[in-house]
Amino acid sequence: MYSIRMRQLALLILASLVFPTVYGASLAVMSIDLGSEFVKIGLVKPGVPMEIVLNDESSRKSSTIVAFRDGERLFGTAAESTAVKIPKKAFWYLTQIIGKRFEDPQVDLYRKRFPYYNIIKDEERGTPLFKVDDETTYSPEELLAMVLEKAKFSAEAFADTPISDAVITVPSYFTQSERRAVREAAEMVGINVLQLLSDNVAVALNYGVFRRKMFNSTTQYYMFYDAGATSTSATLVGYQMVKSKEGDRVETNPQLVVKGVGFDKSLGGLEMTLRLRNHLAKLFNAQKKTKTDVFTNDRAMGKLFKEANRVKKVLSANADHMAQVEGLLEDIDFKAKVSREEFEEMNKDLFDRVTKPIEDALQTSQVTLPEITDVILMGGGTRVPKVQEKLLEFLKRDVLGKSINTDEAAALGAVYHAADLGKGFKVKKFLIKDACHYPIVVEFEKHTSESIEDNPKIVKRTLFGRMNPFPQKKVMTFNKHVKDFSFNVTYGDLSFLSAEDLKSFPNHLIHTYHLKGVDVALKKHAEKAESKGVKAHFRMDEDGILHLDRVEFVFEKEGDPEESTWSKLGDTISGFFGGKESKEDKKPTTDDTAQEGSKSSAKSGEGKKDTEAEQPDADGGEKKIPADEEKKKEETTEKPTEEEKKSDDKKEDKKGDAKDAGKADNTTKSENKTEEAKAPKVSVIKEDILAENVSFDILPMSTEKLKAAKKRLAELTAKDKEKKLLEMAKNDLEAFIYDMSDKLNDEDHEKCSTATEREEYSKLLAEAGEWMYEQEEDAKKEVFRNKLKELKKMVKDLQHRVKELRERPKALEALNSILNHSEFFLVSVKNLSLGEDPMFTEVEAKTLEKLINETYQWLDTTTKEQNITPLTEKPKLLIDDIAMKYQALDREVKYLLNKAKLYRPKSKPKASKNTTATNDTQTDANTTDTATDKETKSGSEEGPQIDIPGTETKTQKRKPKSKRGEKKTEGEEEILQLDEGEGTEQSQSTTTAANEDSDDAVTHDSSDL
C-alpha cells in the first residue's frame, strides 16, 4: 500500500512538472473582497480549498490604501504610517468616490472628511482627480487598480503560481457607472474579472454553502445586517431547494434569492471615528498648551485619527479608556479620558438611523419580521454595543446571529463562486439570483404609420423593475414606428432613496439611442412581407451592467404551403403497398431564403418564449405584465408543442393499423388526404438597425487614456520591483559586512588566518561599509552586487579553510565507518564466492578488497600530510576528496548488495522415483519399487510417498536456518559444507529426496550477508 501511494505521489509530482499550465496557473482563482477600509483575499487552487491569503505582514486583511513617498509606492502598514505622517500622500476609502461625478454629494462629503486632498475635476469625463504634485494626477480608478494589483501579487506569492481570474465584491448599491469603473480598474492591471458580486450576496452564499442540509422546498428567510466603515445595509435573502437543469440531467440544488435591500451610504464606522477625532482635537485645544490650532495641522490630525480609531474599538468592550498621543503638536503630548457614554452621545443621531435599512428591506420584500428565521450580523460596526442594542429593540429578539466570520465571510463566499465559474473545479451547485436596485425604464415617442402628431406622446416602459433578478435578457418591440426614431434609457422611480442620495441622480437619463435605417428596411420588405416591429435586445449581465446587444427590424413572409404530417405519413404508408400516388404536379421548394427563414423562425419562436412573452408591446398601452402572467404565457407557448409531439407519437403507433387498412381499401387513404389542411410556410426576415449611442452617464475611459493608464501603472510596477531588488542588494551587502566583521574574531577564523590577514580584512570591510553609505540614492543594484562579489572573493580562501576545519572531523568519521562496514562485508563476499553455485565472483571480491586497501593507504598518507600542514595554509586532506572515496566504497558495496538480492540458486535435476542415488545394490532398489507400488494401490489421498532410509517419508516444508546447538540434516550439511566432498549413501539418498521439492533445499540468499 505504501509503495502504491508513493508511486501515485510521484506521478502527481511529475504531472505538475510536465504540465505546469494545466495543473497550476490556469486553475487557481481568487476573490477580492473590496471593502472601503480593508481588502480580504480568498484563494482556491489544487490542494488549497478556500483559503484566506496572508499579506507581506502575515495578516489576513490589508488596508485599502496606497501611498506615495520618496518616489515609491507603499501599501499596507507602510502606507498607514504615511497616512499619519503625511496624510495628503496616502489615499484610501476609494470606493466612496469611484465612478461618481465631481459634483456628486458623496464626493463633497469625501472632500469634507479629508480636506488635505487636492481634488480637481476631469474636464473630459466630469469625474474627480487626485493631484499628487504639480505634474502628477491620478484618477480613482488608477489608485484602486494599484490596490487590486497589490492584492493580486499577494495571492500569487501565497499560491506560488500566477493568477489572473478573480471575483470582486462591490457594495450592492453600486450604480452602472460605479460597477464599470471597478471593472476598468481591474482591467488596467491584468485581472480577468469573472464577475462583480454584491458583497451581501457573497456573505449570504458563504452562510448557505455550509448549511445546505437546512434548506428544503419551503423558502426560509434570513436577514444580513452589514455595518461597514462607510455604509450600512440590510439584505433579506430567501433560501430554497429548486430543480435546475445541469447538462442533460435535472438536479435539485439550493438557491438564494435577494428579496429586499435597504442601505444608508453615509452611515458607518468612519463617521464615528471622525467625530471622535474631532472630539479629541477639541480636548487638546482646550488644554491650551500651544497657540497653534490642532485642526490646522494635517499631521497632528492624522495622529488623532489613528488614536480615535483605536479608542473606538476599545470602547466596544470597556466603559472608558484613556486616549494618548505622544508628541501630538510641537512635541507636546496629549492625554485624555473618553467614556462610552460620551462616545454614544456624540453619535446619537447616527444610532437613530441604524434600523432604517431594515425597514426599507422589509418594505421592499413584503416580508414580515416573524417570517425571518435569523438576523446575521456583518461588518465591524456591529461590534458597537449601542448598535446591537438598537437592533435587538427593533427586531424584538433576545439574541442576534453571530455565526459567521464578519471579516472573511464575503471573501470566502466570493472565492467559492469563483471556483464555480473557473475552469478546473467541480463544486456543489448553489444558485444565485441577485436583484436590480435601481429600476430602468425606456422612454420613446409614440408614432403611427398613418399620421404623426405635432406633439407626440411620450411613452414609458419599465425594462428592469426594482428587485428584478439578473442576469437576464429582455426584448422590447416597437410595432408602430415606420421611420428612424430614438429612445432613451433612464433610471425609473427612485423615490425610495433618501433626499441626499437623490442628489446623486441629477439627471435620470443614462443613454439615448438613435436608430438609423428603419424606413429603408421597411421599404425593402413592405411589399413582400409583413412587419413585426423593431426589436431591441437588452441584457443585464452578471455584473449588473446594462447592455443593448442589437436592434433589428423583423418581417414575416408566407411561402408555399407545406405538407402536413398526416399527408407525409399517408404517402409513406401507401408506398409500402404499391399505392404511391404520382407527385409530378407537386413542385419542390427552391426558395433558399424561405428555408433559412423557416429555421430562423424556429429559433425566433424559442426567443419569444424566453423574452418577448415577458415584455409588453411597446406601443400597445401603458400596462405592464406581472411576473405571474408572464409564466402563464410561457406555459401557453410550450403546451401546443407538447401536444404536437403526443399526436405525432400516436400517429406512429397507428402505422400498423394503417398498413392493414391499406391492404383492404386504398380509397380511405385518398379521402383522408383530401380532408388534410396544408399549413403555409412562414419565413422570418431580420434587418439589422444601426443604433447610435449617446451616453449621459459617466463616460468610460477612452481607449487612448486606458492604454496610457496601463502603461503608467506598468512603469510604476517595474519601478517598484527595481526598488525592491535594489533594497535586497543593499541589505545583502550590509549583512555580509557585519557578519564577516564578527566572524574574524571567533576561534576558528583566528586559527585559519594570521593576525596580518585579519587586520587587512577588517580594514577593507570597514571601508566597504563607508562606501555603501556614500552612494547616491539613484545608484543601480549592480553596483552593490559587484561590491559584494569583490568582498566574497577577498575572503574566499579563509572561508574555505574554516569550512574544512569545521567539517573534516565529521567527514573522516563517516569514511572510517564505511571502511569498517566494508571490511566485514568483504568477509561474507569471499565466503559466498566459493562453491559450485557462488553468489559472487572472485573478481568482485578482489575488486572490493583492492578498493578498501587503496582507501586505507590514501587516508594514512593524506592524514600525515595534513598533520604537518599549518591551518593558515591550504589543507591537504580535503572534504571533497573524502566524499569521493566514500562514494566509491558506497557504490561498490551497494552494487554487491543489489546483486545478492537478485540472486537465485540454480535448480538441480530431480531424481527418478524408481531409482536410488546409487547403483551399488540392486536389491534395495527393487525393494523400494515394491513398497512404492503397494502405497499406490492403497489409494492414499496424499499421493505417492517415497520411503528412503534416513529421511522422513512425508513432504517437508523449507526449514529455517539452523541455530547453534540444533542438529542439521545431512542434506543441509552437504549444501553448506561444499568442501567436504561426497557423503555416504545415506546422505546421497537424503539429497535425492530434497531435490524432489526445490523449496526443501537450503541455499545461499541475501540473508546470509
Side-chain angles (χ1 to χ4, degrees):
M1 181 62 70
Y2 177 80
S3 61
I4 295 175
R5 290 180 179 176
M6 292 300 294
R7 235 180 282 126
Q8 292 174 345
L9 179 60
L11 289 174
L12 180 60
I13 296 173
L14 179 62
S16 64
L17 293 175
V18 177
F19 307 106
T21 303
V22 176
Y23 291 93
S26 63
L27 296 185
V29 293
M30 64 178 175
S31 67
I32 302 177
D33 179 20
L34 188 59
S36 57
E37 188 174 11
F38 291 104
V39 170
K40 281 79 68 178
I41 310 162
L43 171 70
V44 169
K45 79 165 193 174
V48 182
M50 292 181 64
E51 181 60 81
I52 294 295
V53 172
L54 303 181
N55 60 15
D56 297 338
E57 292 87 20
S58 297
S59 177
R60 297 174 73 87
K61 62 181 180 180
S62 307
S63 295
T64 311
I65 186 173
V66 56
F68 300 90
R69 188 176 182 182
D70 299 331
E72 62 177 318
R73 291 185 302 177
L74 302 174
F75 300 92
T77 305
E80 290 178 12
S81 300
T82 304
V84 174
K85 298 176 181 179
I86 315 174
K88 63 181 180 180
K89 293 291 186 180
F91 305 93
W92 53 2
Y93 299 102
L94 297 170
T95 56
Q96 190 180 357
I97 197 173
I98 192 171
K100 292 182 173 64
R101 291 184 174 85
F102 184 77
E103 299 82 7
D104 194 288
Q106 291 292 320
V107 178
D108 292 338
L109 179 62
Y110 189 86
R111 287 200 296 264
K112 180 181 177 182
R113 288 173 170 175
F114 309 105
Y116 39 77
Y117 290 141
N118 187 5
I119 301 177
I120 61 176
K121 183 178 181 180
D122 184 350
E123 298 298 336
E124 181 180 343
R125 300 177 63 210
T127 55
L129 292 174
F130 289 94
K131 190 172 183 179
V132 180
D133 52 43
D134 295 336
E135 299 178 354
T136 308
T137 58
Y138 291 107
S139 66
E141 289 87 345
E142 289 176 297
L143 294 175
L144 185 62
M146 298 177 192
V147 176
L148 294 175
E149 185 179 39
K150 180 60 178 177
K152 178 176 179 286
F153 290 158
S154 298
E156 290 177 339
F158 188 82
D160 196 23
T161 183
I163 304 175
S164 59
D165 297 337
V167 169
I168 302 177
T169 67
V170 295
S172 60
Y173 54 77
F174 260 23
T175 61
Q176 299 281 304
S177 60
E178 291 168 326
R179 292 172 183 268
R180 284 196 299 267
V182 174
R183 286 197 70 97
E184 286 179 351
E187 182 183 352
M188 289 180 190
V189 291
I191 296 178
N192 177 36
V193 180
L194 298 174
Q195 184 175 335
L196 292 180
L197 188 65
S198 298
D199 52 7
N200 55 357
V201 174
V203 173
L205 177 60
N206 176 252
Y207 183 83
V209 161
F210 298 101
R211 295 165 176 82
R212 299 172 65 97
K213 296 182 179 180
M214 293 172 51
F215 309 133
N216 49 41
S217 58
T218 304
T219 304
Q220 300 179 30
Y221 297 106
Y222 288 81
M223 177 169 285
F224 296 90
Y225 186 86
D226 184 5
T230 58
S231 62
T232 300
S233 66
T235 306
L236 190 63
V237 174
Y239 293 99
Q240 184 183 11
M241 299 296 291
V242 297
K243 291 184 178 180
S244 61
K245 191 173 183 181
E246 301 296 335
D248 297 332
R249 63 186 185 279
V250 176
E251 296 181 352
T252 301
N253 292 309
Q255 174 182 266
L256 71 86
V257 181
V258 177
K259 297 293 185 180
V261 177
F263 52 83
D264 189 332
K265 294 183 181 180
S266 59
L267 175 62
L270 174 61
E271 182 63 25
M272 299 179 188
T273 303
L274 291 171
R275 292 187 180 189
L276 182 56
R277 180 200 66 177
N278 295 339
H279 175 72
L280 297 177
K282 291 176 182 178
L283 291 178
F284 179 80
N285 284 339
Q287 294 175 359
K288 296 182 180 181
K289 294 182 179 181
T290 177
K291 294 181 180 180
T292 306
D293 186 358
V294 71
F295 284 98
T296 61
N297 190 294
D298 292 341
R299 182 167 185 172
M301 294 300 289
K303 292 180 178 179
L304 286 176
F305 180 83
K306 181 179 180 180
E307 181 64 11
N309 196 30
R310 185 188 70 85
V311 172
K312 181 189 70 173
K313 295 177 181 177
V314 174
L315 288 177
S316 296
N318 298 274
D320 53 60
H321 188 67
M322 190 66 69
Q324 49 189 355
V325 180
E326 184 178 351
L328 175 60
L329 184 63
E330 297 177 1
D331 294 331
I332 298 174
D333 298 339
F334 168 70
K335 190 174 184 180
K337 186 177 182 180
V338 181
S339 66
R340 183 189 295 175
E341 185 178 354
E342 290 176 321
F343 177 74
E344 293 176 352
E345 183 63 27
M346 69 181 70
N347 295 295
K348 183 178 180 181
D349 60 321
L350 298 181
F351 293 133
D352 292 339
R353 293 158 52 186
V354 163
T355 59
K356 185 64 167 61
I358 298 179
E359 296 174 10
D360 294 341
L362 293 174
Q363 183 179 358
T364 304
S365 63
Q366 299 298 313
V367 176
T368 61
L369 280 176
E371 295 179 81
I372 299 176
T373 304
D374 199 359
V375 178
I376 311 299
L377 298 184
M378 270 293 299
T382 57
R383 297 188 180 101
V384 178
K386 193 64 175 179
V387 172
Q388 297 186 19
E389 180 184 332
K390 289 283 186 180
L391 292 176
L392 289 171
E393 181 182 348
F394 178 80
L395 297 170
K396 296 179 177 59
R397 290 174 179 263
D398 297 329
V399 292
L400 296 170
K402 301 177 183 178
S403 55
I404 60 176
N405 189 323
T406 60
D407 287 333
E408 301 173 359
L412 293 175
V415 80
Y416 185 89
H417 193 54
D420 189 19
L421 298 176
K423 307 172 187 175
F425 300 96
K426 178 70 174 177
V427 301
K428 291 184 178 180
K429 284 291 180 181
F430 206 108
L431 307 179
I432 297 174
K433 283 193 176 182
D434 202 348
C436 174
H437 298 316
Y438 305 102
I440 296 178
V441 172
V442 174
E443 295 180 350
F444 56 92
E445 296 179 352
K446 184 176 182 180
H447 289 175
T448 60
S449 57
E450 291 82 7
S451 63
I452 300 178
E453 300 177 5
D454 295 336
N455 296 318
K457 181 181 178 182
I458 301 300
V459 180
K460 293 184 179 182
R461 290 289 177 269
T462 300
L463 186 63
F464 291 97
R466 188 183 177 201
M467 304 313 298
N468 270 17
F470 67 84
Q472 189 176 167
K473 295 180 180 180
K474 290 192 176 183
V475 178
M476 182 161 284
T477 304
F478 304 89
N479 285 327
K480 305 299 181 182
H481 287 76
V482 295
K483 294 184 178 181
D484 295 351
F485 66 100
S486 303
F487 62 85
N488 299 327
V489 178
T490 71
Y491 286 114
D493 182 16
L494 301 178
S495 59
F496 60 91
L497 296 177
S498 64
E500 192 67 21
D501 290 341
L502 277 174
K503 295 178 181 178
S504 300
F505 300 89
N507 184 7
H508 289 195
L509 187 59
I510 304 174
H511 302 285
T512 294
Y513 292 98
H514 301 285
L515 305 187
K516 306 292 185 181
V518 176
D519 52 350
V520 175
L522 184 62
K523 291 177 182 179
K524 182 178 178 181
H525 300 284
E527 297 181 358
K528 299 180 181 180
E530 179 185 359
S531 171
K532 292 298 180 181
V534 178
K535 297 183 182 295
H537 296 259
F538 293 94
R539 171 174 57 92
M540 183 169 285
D541 63 14
E542 294 82 357
D543 302 331
I545 300 175
L546 181 66
H547 304 272
L548 177 63
D549 289 335
R550 67 184 186 279
V551 180
E552 56 193 12
F553 208 147
V554 181
F555 301 88
E556 286 188 358
K557 177 182 178 182
E558 291 189 2
D560 296 333
E562 186 180 5
E563 278 188 298
S564 66
T565 307
W566 274 110
S567 176
K568 293 179 181 178
L569 185 61
D571 292 341
T572 304
I573 295 173
S574 61
F576 293 155
F577 309 106
K580 185 175 181 180
E581 296 180 358
S582 176
K583 292 189 177 182
E584 294 179 357
D585 297 337
K586 296 183 180 180
K587 296 181 180 180
T589 303
T590 58
D591 189 355
D592 296 338
T593 305
Q595 293 175 359
E596 293 175 2
S598 177
K599 294 178 182 178
S600 63
S601 176
K603 295 179 181 178
S604 175
E606 295 175 2
K608 287 180 181 179
K609 182 169 60 179
D610 295 335
T611 58
E612 292 183 50
E614 299 176 354
Q615 295 303 311
D617 186 2
D619 295 315
E622 300 259 343
K623 184 178 179 182
K624 177 184 175 183
I625 301 178
D628 293 339
E629 294 183 20
E630 293 171 8
K631 292 180 180 178
K632 290 178 182 178
K633 283 196 172 187
E634 291 178 4
E635 293 173 0
T636 306
T637 309
E638 294 173 357
K639 284 181 180 178
T641 307
E642 295 175 358
E643 291 175 0
E644 288 177 5
K645 289 180 180 180
K646 291 179 181 179
S647 63
D648 291 342
D649 295 339
K650 291 179 180 179
K651 292 168 190 175
E652 291 177 1
D653 294 339
K654 293 180 180 180
K655 280 186 179 180
D657 298 337
K659 183 176 180 180
D660 297 336
K663 291 181 180 180
D665 189 2
N666 290 332
T667 307
T668 307
K669 294 181 298 179
S670 60
E671 290 177 358
N672 290 338
K673 282 186 180 181
T674 307
E675 296 175 358
E676 292 169 355
K678 296 182 179 180
K681 190 174 184 180
V682 178
S683 61
V684 177
I685 303 172
K686 297 180 181 180
E687 284 285 341
D688 291 334
I689 303 299
L690 176 63
E692 295 180 354
N693 178 23
V694 178
S695 180
F696 293 89
D697 203 358
I698 295 177
L699 296 174
M701 280 190 174
S702 62
T703 306
E704 293 76 14
K705 276 196 170 185
L706 190 60
K707 287 183 179 179
K710 289 181 179 180
K711 182 179 179 181
R712 181 159 64 160
L713 291 175
E715 290 173 353
L716 288 172
T717 302
K719 187 177 179 180
D720 290 344
K721 289 182 179 179
E722 190 69 21
K723 187 80 173 178
K724 188 175 181 180
L725 293 174
L726 176 62
E727 292 296 330
M728 290 176 62
K730 287 183 178 180
N731 292 337
D732 291 343
L733 177 59
E734 186 178 24
F736 181 81
I737 292 173
Y738 284 113
D739 183 57
M740 198 65 211
S741 299
D742 293 338
K743 285 180 178 178
L744 288 176
N745 298 321
D746 66 29
E747 183 180 356
D748 292 338
H749 282 76
E750 288 181 353
K751 288 180 180 179
C752 298
S753 63
T754 63
T756 305
E757 287 178 335
R758 292 195 298 274
E759 183 178 354
E760 182 182 357
Y761 292 156
S762 298
K763 181 181 177 181
L764 292 174
L765 289 171
E767 291 176 355
E770 295 176 359
W771 170 90
M772 186 180 69
Y773 292 109
E774 291 174 357
Q775 297 303 305
E776 300 292 337
E777 288 293 333
D778 58 349
K780 301 296 183 182
K781 62 180 182 297
E782 287 76 15
V783 176
F784 299 96
R785 288 178 175 177
N786 292 335
K787 190 67 175 179
L788 180 60
K789 290 180 181 178
E790 180 183 338
L791 294 177
K792 285 184 175 180
K793 184 178 180 180
M794 178 185 69
V795 298
K796 179 180 179 181
D797 293 339
L798 173 59
Q799 289 182 317
H800 179 257
R801 294 196 295 269
V802 173
K803 179 183 178 183
E804 292 287 338
L805 177 64
R806 290 175 175 175
E807 298 182 6
R808 188 183 300 120
K810 293 183 179 179
L812 288 174
E813 182 181 354
L815 182 60
N816 287 323
S817 175
I818 197 171
L819 279 170
N820 292 334
H821 285 85
S822 299
E823 284 186 293
F824 284 108
F825 181 71
L826 178 62
V827 175
S828 299
V829 170
K830 286 182 176 180
N831 292 335
L832 296 174
S833 61
L834 305 175
E836 297 179 358
D837 186 16
M839 185 180 294
F840 305 108
T841 64
E842 294 183 4
V843 175
E844 292 170 339
K846 290 180 179 179
T847 301
L848 178 60
E849 184 178 13
K850 180 181 178 182
L851 183 60
I852 293 173
N853 294 333
E854 289 177 350
T855 304
Y856 270 120
Q857 183 180 358
W858 172 85
L859 183 61
D860 293 339
T861 303
T862 53
T863 302
K864 292 177 181 179
E865 293 178 356
Q866 179 61 42
N867 291 335
I868 63 175
T869 303
L871 295 178
T872 57
E873 295 181 6
K874 183 178 180 180
K876 302 297 182 180
L877 182 57
L878 300 177
I879 299 172
D880 292 340
D881 295 339
I882 297 174
M884 291 178 62
K885 295 296 183 181
Y886 181 95
Q887 291 172 1
L889 282 170
D890 184 60
R891 181 170 56 251
E892 187 64 26
V893 171
K894 284 183 177 178
Y895 164 75
L896 295 176
L897 283 174
N898 288 332
K899 183 176 181 181
K901 291 178 181 178
L902 300 175
Y903 172 76
R904 295 291 181 272
K906 294 180 181 179
S907 58
K908 295 183 180 181
K910 295 183 179 181
S912 175
K913 293 182 180 180
N914 295 326
T915 61
T916 60
T918 61
N919 295 324
D920 294 342
T921 308
Q922 186 67 32
T923 306
D924 294 341
N926 294 335
T927 305
T928 304
D929 293 340
T930 304
T932 303
D933 293 338
K934 289 180 180 180
E935 290 176 1
T936 304
K937 292 178 181 179
S938 65
S940 175
E941 294 180 357
E942 295 180 358
Q945 297 180 349
I946 303 175
D947 186 10
I948 301 176
T951 63
E952 295 180 4
T953 57
K954 62 179 180 180
T955 304
Q956 299 180 6
K957 294 185 178 179
R958 179 173 178 169
K959 298 180 180 179
K961 292 194 297 181
S962 300
K963 297 182 181 179
R964 184 176 297 178
E966 293 180 356
K967 183 178 179 180
K968 297 180 182 179
T969 62
E970 294 179 359
E972 288 176 310
E973 291 176 358
E974 179 184 348
I975 295 173
L976 293 176
Q977 301 174 6
L978 300 175
D979 55 342
E980 294 184 1
E982 299 203 3
T984 60
E985 180 178 355
Q986 185 177 2
S987 65
Q988 292 175 355
S989 302
T990 306
T991 304
T992 304
N995 286 335
E996 290 183 8
D997 188 352
S998 60
D999 287 341
D1000 291 343
V1002 180
T1003 58
H1004 299 313
D1005 60 17
S1006 59
S1007 62
D1008 295 332
L1009 299 177

